[in-house]
Amino acid sequence: MKIAIYPGSFDPVTKGHLDILKTGAEIFDKVIIAVAKNSEKKGFLPIEERVKLIKESTKDFNNVEVDSFDGLTIEYAKKKRAKVLIRGLRAVSDFEYELQLSQANSALCEEIRTVFLTTKPKYNFISSSTIKEIYINNGDISKFVPEPVYNYLMEKK
Ligand code: ADP
């Protein structure tokens, strides 16, 4: 069984993330989308809320699990018997950081490889931080986030 982990902040999950996840779920037998608790980024939504929103947004996938984890991604991957990490690439600007991260992970654990996926062009520019900015300034985020995230954020206002 080919298991892949899709780790990230997902703060909040976007249509870009879901497009990456969809492709991952077509390639691998199981994908675990996992919210990292130890991200250096200051959080917008609590981890439990991010997990809940991802669960609601991925309920139609039958080979996707949602989880959160502490500590090193490779340790989490080993625990889950996953040999692949999925990361997304938007632009060349993502590449340097993502390459470095994947090489650091390979140096820590040779058996675990990172696979890079891209989205459909219409989702390519979407990032959680852009969405937060639009939301805080009362712009329309309905095109960029799945419905559960949209409803949650509108209720929060
Ligand atoms: P992190 O803080 O770990 O970068 P994010 O939630 O911001 O977590 O992103 C998780 C992964 O999804 C990253 O590899 C990021 O590049 C990728 N990603 C996010 N949005 C998109 C998008 N619109 N297109 C392609 N990849 C994306």
Side-chain angles (χ1 to χ4, degrees), residues 6-12 14-17 20 36 39 41 86-90 94 97-98 101 117-119 123-128:
Y6 180 21
S9 310
F10 307 107
D11 191 21
T14 70
K15 287 190 177 175
H17 292 130
I20 297 275
S39 168
K41 291 179 186 173
I86 296 174
R87 293 288 288 177
L89 289 177
R90 279 163 290 205
D94 280 341
Y97 170 73
E98 292 290 346
L101 191 64
L117 298 175
T118 55
T119 59
Y123 299 133
N124 193 54
F125 70 95
I126 301 174
S127 70
S128 299

Side-chain angles (χ1 to χ4, degrees), residues 4-10 17 20-21 31-36 54 67 69 71-74 76-77 84-88 98 101 105 114-115:
I5 309 283
Y6 180 21
S9 310
F10 307 107
H17 292 130
I20 297 275
L21 185 67
V31 179
I32 304 170
I33 175 165
V35 181
I54 300 172
D67 196 7
F69 69 102
L72 291 176
T73 310
I74 51 141
Y76 176 73
V84 173
L85 303 178
I86 296 174
R87 293 288 288 177
E98 292 290 346
L101 191 64
N105 282 327
T114 303
V115 164

Side-chain angles (χ1 to χ4, degrees), residues 74-112:
I74 51 141
E75 294 304 331
Y76 176 73
K78 279 189 215 164
K79 203 175 91 186
K80 292 289 175 182
R81 301 182 181 284
K83 294 226 167 82
V84 173
L85 303 178
I86 296 174
R87 293 288 288 177
L89 289 177
R90 279 163 290 205
V92 177
S93 50
D94 280 341
F95 182 75
E96 203 171 338
Y97 170 73
E98 292 290 346
L99 183 68
Q100 209 173 34
L101 191 64
S102 74
Q103 288 174 343
N105 282 327
S106 297
L108 290 170
C109 180
E110 266 184 7
E111 282 183 7
I112 295 175

Side-chain angles (χ1 to χ4, degrees), residues 9-13 35 42-51 53 132 135 149 152-153 156:
S9 310
F10 307 107
D11 191 21
V13 68
V35 181
K42 198 182 163 297
F44 170 55
L45 302 179
I47 304 283
E48 309 73 52
E49 295 299 313
R50 294 184 219 172
V51 169
L53 291 171
K132 278 177 254 178
Y135 168 72
V149 175
Y152 172 87
L153 289 177
K156 217 170 166 275

Side-chain angles (χ1 to χ4, degrees), residues 60-71:
D60 294 337
F61 291 94
N62 55 20
N63 61 341
V64 167
E65 257 178 49
V66 188
D67 196 7
S68 59
F69 69 102
D70 267 324

